[in-house]
Amino acid sequence: MEFIAAYLPSAMMNDQTISQLPLALPEIVMLCMASIVLIVDLFLNDKTRGGTYILSQFTLLALVVITVMSFTQQKSIAFHGTFVRDGMGDLLKIFVYIVTFTVFLYSKSYLKARDMFKGEYYVLGLFAVLGMMVMISAQSFLTIYLGLELLSLCMYALVALQRDSIIASESAMKYFVLGAIASGMLLYGMSMIYGATGSLELATINAEVMKNTDNIVLIFGLVFVLVGVAFKLGAVPFHMWLPDVYQGSPTAVAIFIGSAPKIAAFAMTMRLLVDGLHGLHVQWQDMLIIMAVASLAIGNIVAIAQTNIKRMLAYSTISHVGFIMLGIMTAEKGGYTASMFYTIVYTLMALGAFGMIMYMSRMGFESDKLDDFRGLNQRSPWFAFIMLIFMFSMAGVPPFVGFWAKLSILKAVVAVDMTWLAVTAVVFSIIGAFYYLRIIKLMYFDTPQETSAIEGASDLRVMLSLNGIAILGLGLYPELIMGLVISVM
Amino acid sequence: MTGVQFLFYAFAAMMVFCALMVITVRNPVRSALFLVLTFVSCSAIWLLMEAEFLAITLVLVYVGAVMVLFLFVVMMLDININRLKEGFVKYLPVGIGVAGLFGGMLTWLLYNVEAADLKTKMRTMYPPSAKPADYSNTEELGEVLYTVYVYPFEIAAVILLVAIVAAIALTFRRRTTTKYQNPDQQVSVKRDDRLRVVKMDSEEKK
């Protein structure tokens, strides 16, 4: 040992890195398994490609087990202040795995029908999950940025995976260029804050910010950081990429972009604004109010004019992001809890809505028009009912879980004496209810354009039903998730 | 003005000039060459700041490898410059308006509102002391890279891996019609597979 120690650099001698490695066990397992999937896939041909799928799903399930087993409420910072393990991170990660598992399950038959059932989809998907995990566990600007880039890079590639489709290539280009601009903005803001505080670590930055909350350089940096975050969340006025990307990318990729990364984006916002820049909350509250109200307005009103359901869901995402921002805007624990609850619930609802599109699509037919949902009740009453659950829940109708999510946000907003803001949110939600209810009207009161039975793989049917029942069940017992969220915040 | 200061201003001026040329010259090849010059002057400035490793890496990696590849691509693609220029005049007023508004706001903020505060801030940041001649900043970088920054370093490595996977996934097409050699068969070929010695009696010339 002494022989080895003599050759180690001095910094390594006192280093805690090795003893801290178990904290990052989920990340390490994820990286190893993603690499294994990449290699195993080389030896599989199109007939045995199912192996890649099973291995990926096994990885996600194993990670759920690992994270649940090592679940910890205690906040521990590791790797020289670049990594944090806490209850919020663990809970969000568990939901990321579950959501990704469902995404992979829903998209299997869709990919097979379009000659896209390739190993790359799963490899890039797993690496994207790794990026989300890094973002969720980030404790310094450096890791937030690297995690974000890892996630985005996988997403750009996934959107472009359907190479022969012009519309997919176009949306991949838009996504890439706008994403690069957003990353640039974020980096610029980070460099300003680094210049003013002299640190990249969120805890140190917060301590420095507390000393001088009026520093103009800090506020200047905050604006750019917030622009970057708003881009990634898809908040107005930085929302223009969302409808194009949702519409242009294959549904199997759109469901992925529309679900799990929202959880990671929420975590990134919390880490940046609450862990790092809480001292500036008077400033970012105002900015969040403007963006939240604009998102609620544009999202809900423009969605009415859409005829493509993927595009409509994109605008619906924008309006939900407005709600999530309202919760964070309160700068209170109650608001953060409500936002986290809303984010998790939203991803579950988005999964279901996109899952329905994939359930109804078949070879050569995308089923992404509103008209394709006409008379669904006559073709498949059970799944028309499931879609009804998703739509009612998104609109915020009790007893579905979407109602509790909206209610908790509104409560938090009223608790900080901003009743006018809560009233605005309610008014726009009522406007938004129109386009959710329109789908229900199309399904139940219109005659179908075609009467053929819907095929749909059996595993997709089971999972989609479970997803719908979960939305209903969680609506009846919202404390199941709410209790978890409160316990970790 | 000391010699170092003179060099700094000379290289800085060259860098700003070249960076401007990158985005204003018409010919994409020239634009790429100006970018090379920008990198070279930037690396000279880094050398003045005693960041030798970064300076050398910039020249080796960016000038030596990335830009050469970039030039290849630019030369191979037949870029229609006139089409790129379409709509330039149309968007110019908007661009100038946004840039002017933004620049004006920045200037106003930084010089009017808190100029005093900024100056005190600047004064509290002292320049780092010069290191002795035998100080190796490559070694220092290596030491922190694999200890303090090992976690971000590993993530950066994963990003590069994803870039490779993505690039191959997006460009690689297996063509069934392509003829290719099988090195395994080529190596294991035996003399008897290729050459047949035929024994026959010699014939007389008629």
Side-chain angles (χ1 to χ4, degrees):
Chain A
M1 276 304 289
E2 278 175 15
F3 174 76
I4 299 170
Y7 284 90
L8 283 175
S10 55
M12 218 182 232
M13 295 286 289
N14 313 320
D15 205 59
Q16 303 285 310
T17 306
I18 304 291
S19 59
Q20 286 166 343
L21 277 179
L23 284 173
L25 186 65
E27 278 82 1
I28 295 170
V29 171
M30 190 60 181
L31 175 59
C32 295
M33 286 308 290
S35 309
I36 290 173
V37 170
L38 179 64
I39 294 171
V40 167
D41 183 65
L42 280 180
F43 297 97
L44 300 175
N45 55 30
D46 285 343
K47 279 191 197 115
T48 51
R49 189 73 66 210
T52 312
Y53 168 75
I54 289 166
L55 202 56
S56 310
Q57 295 292 54
F58 168 75
T59 305
L60 291 166
L61 287 182
L63 278 169
V64 173
V65 174
I66 290 173
T67 314
V68 168
M69 297 274 279
S70 61
F71 189 81
T72 170
Q73 296 277 14
Q74 196 193 347
K75 183 171 181 170
S76 33
I77 293 174
F79 308 141
H80 299 271
T82 52
F83 177 89
V84 63
R85 179 90 188 258
D86 58 3
M88 182 185 93
D90 277 5
L91 187 64
L92 289 177
K93 276 182 205 169
I94 291 170
F95 276 102
V96 166
Y97 310 142
I98 296 173
V99 167
T100 312
F101 178 86
T102 320
V103 166
F104 283 176
L105 198 147
Y106 283 165
S107 49
K108 192 173 137 207
S109 48
Y110 179 92
L111 292 172
K112 272 186 178 161
R114 278 158 192 78
D115 197 25
M116 284 174 65
F117 192 59
K118 300 257 161 60
E120 286 87 8
Y121 178 83
Y122 297 102
V123 171
L124 290 173
L126 290 181
F127 277 119
V129 173
L130 180 63
M132 294 179 218
M133 293 162 73
V134 171
M135 276 166 82
I136 291 172
S137 277
Q139 190 60 17
S140 100
F141 279 169
L142 205 55
T143 31
I144 289 180
Y145 177 71
L146 285 171
L148 181 64
E149 282 307 288
L150 182 53
L151 167 65
S152 309
L153 204 58
C154 295
M155 288 301 173
Y156 304 146
L158 280 173
V159 173
L161 213 53
Q162 207 175 24
R163 288 177 303 200
D164 299 324
S165 156
I166 294 169
I167 183 167
S169 311
E170 183 196 319
S171 62
M173 270 321 280
K174 278 182 183 161
Y175 191 22
F176 179 68
V177 172
L178 289 176
I181 292 174
S183 297
M185 293 276 185
L186 188 67
L187 269 187
Y188 190 60
M190 284 176 171
S191 69
M192 284 288 158
I193 293 170
Y194 176 62
T197 60
S199 176
L200 288 172
E201 283 167 40
L202 295 176
T204 323
I205 290 169
N206 203 22
E208 285 288 321
V209 169
M210 288 295 187
K211 285 184 203 160
N212 181 11
T213 49
D214 284 337
N215 190 338
I216 198 82
V217 182
L218 276 177
I219 299 168
F220 187 71
L222 169 71
V223 172
F224 281 91
V225 166
L226 215 55
V227 169
V229 167
F231 248 116
K232 297 298 171 186
L233 273 173
V236 176
F238 310 104
H239 65 290
M240 285 315 295
W241 60 276
L242 247 146
D244 287 340
V245 171
Y246 276 32
Q247 188 187 5
S249 49
T251 313
V253 177
I255 185 177
F256 197 24
I257 295 176
S259 54
K262 300 291 175 220
I263 298 179
F266 166 76
M268 178 175 85
T269 318
M270 287 294 289
R271 299 278 185 223
L272 278 172
L273 295 188
V274 180
D275 289 2
L277 299 168
H278 196 260
L280 295 174
H281 70 88
V282 181
Q283 276 85 12
W284 56 250
Q285 271 182 316
D286 291 343
M287 303 179 203
L288 283 183
I289 289 175
I290 296 172
M291 289 200 285
V293 171
S295 303
L296 286 166
I298 304 260
N300 280 320
I301 293 170
V302 180
I304 295 173
Q306 305 306 319
T307 54
N308 182 303
I309 189 162
K310 274 153 85 181
R311 228 178 150 76
M312 192 202 89
L313 284 175
Y315 281 104
S316 129
T317 305
I318 294 168
S319 71
H320 288 297
V321 164
F323 260 98
I324 293 169
M325 283 192 149
L326 277 185
I328 299 174
M329 180 281 304
T330 59
E332 294 277 343
K333 206 168 187 179
Y336 304 149
T337 318
S339 273
M340 189 165 155
F341 181 62
Y342 199 106
T343 312
I344 292 170
V345 167
Y346 163 71
T347 50
L348 295 180
M349 297 186 299
L351 269 183
F354 277 106
M356 276 302 294
I357 303 175
M358 284 202 277
Y359 163 68
M360 289 175 63
S361 69
R362 56 172 185 273
M363 201 177 287
F365 175 64
E366 284 294 333
S367 172
D368 57 358
K369 302 276 181 299
L370 282 183
D371 288 341
D372 298 329
F373 279 83
R374 269 181 209 278
L376 184 65
N377 186 39
Q378 293 168 35
R379 296 169 69 197
S380 170
W382 170 246
F383 284 100
F385 173 66
I386 296 284
M387 187 66 177
L388 174 128
I389 292 179
F390 294 137
M391 289 298 118
F392 268 148
S393 182
M394 279 195 171
V397 176
F400 304 103
V401 69
F403 166 73
W404 299 106
K406 282 198 165 58
L407 186 69
S408 60
I409 294 272
L410 294 176
K411 263 191 194 162
V413 172
V414 172
V416 291
D417 294 329
M418 296 209 190
T419 318
W420 68 272
L421 208 51
V423 172
T424 318
V426 169
V427 168
F428 282 121
S429 298
I430 293 169
I431 296 174
F434 168 77
Y435 60 83
Y436 296 122
L437 295 179
R438 180 171 59 189
I439 292 194
I440 295 169
K441 180 230 162 204
L442 287 176
M443 290 191 306
Y444 281 90
F445 301 108
D446 282 18
T447 45
Q449 289 177 326
E450 56 176 322
T451 45
S452 63
I454 300 165
E455 295 151 27
S458 55
D459 49 354
L460 200 165
R461 286 161 171 270
V462 172
M463 197 67 196
L464 203 54
S465 309
L466 282 178
N467 195 339
I469 292 165
I471 299 287
L472 179 60
L474 290 172
L476 297 175
Y477 301 99
E479 56 271 25
L480 280 179
I481 289 189
M482 200 56 180
L484 275 178
V485 170
I486 289 173
S487 72
V488 297
M489 285 303 275
Chain B
M1 191 188 272
T2 63
V4 173
Q5 268 181 336
F6 172 76
L7 281 177
F8 172 78
Y9 282 115
F11 281 118
M14 189 159 95
M15 189 169 136
V16 172
F17 170 75
C18 294
L20 279 175
M21 292 306 276
V22 172
I23 53 169
T24 48
V25 290
R26 281 163 175 268
N27 190 328
V29 177
R30 279 192 190 162
S31 165
L33 287 173
F34 270 115
L35 193 56
V36 170
L37 207 50
T38 315
F39 284 147
V40 171
S41 31
C42 180
S43 101
I45 290 176
W46 283 356
L47 267 183
L48 291 178
M49 293 165 74
E50 300 184 12
E52 296 92 4
F53 179 73
L54 284 182
I56 293 167
T57 321
L58 186 70
V59 172
L60 281 182
V61 177
Y62 278 85
V63 178
V66 176
M67 285 316 294
V68 171
L69 282 178
F70 202 77
L71 266 181
F72 270 131
V73 174
V74 170
M75 285 176 183
M76 279 203 281
L77 292 176
D78 186 21
I79 298 173
N80 189 342
I81 301 168
N82 288 330
R83 259 197 70 198
L84 283 178
K85 288 221 175 297
E86 266 173 31
F88 180 74
V89 180
K90 204 171 88 187
Y91 296 121
L92 193 63
V94 183
I96 289 179
V98 171
L101 191 73
F102 194 66
M105 266 156 56
L106 284 191
T107 327
W108 184 74
L109 274 179
L110 292 178
Y111 283 89
N112 286 348
V113 183
E114 299 241 340
D117 176 65
L118 204 67
K119 271 179 194 148
T120 51
K121 199 96 198 167
M122 290 294 199
R123 225 176 287 134
T124 53
M125 289 184 184
Y126 300 106
S129 54
K131 295 277 189 280
D134 61 343
Y135 173 82
S136 159
N137 90 35
T138 314
E139 203 179 306
E140 287 285 304
L141 262 179
E143 219 174 279
V144 289
L145 209 54
Y146 292 101
T147 53
V148 179
Y149 294 106
V150 66
Y151 181 62
F153 183 74
E154 292 295 330
I155 305 168
V158 177
I159 292 180
L160 290 181
L161 176 64
V162 167
I164 298 171
V165 173
I168 294 174
L170 294 183
T171 52
F172 182 67
R173 279 160 203 262
R174 195 185 296 277
R175 290 211 188 90
T176 44
T177 52
T178 329
K179 291 190 166 57
Y180 59 94
Q181 297 172 323
N182 188 345
D184 189 34
Q185 284 179 10
Q186 282 182 322
V187 171
S188 60
V189 75
K190 292 197 181 60
R191 188 193 59 191
D192 303 336
D193 300 339
R194 297 283 162 90
L195 189 73
R196 190 162 52 95
V197 180
V198 184
K199 283 215 165 122
M200 58 182 287
D201 299 327
S202 57
E203 286 178 28
E204 267 179 47
K205 217 179 196 174
K206 280 171 191 168

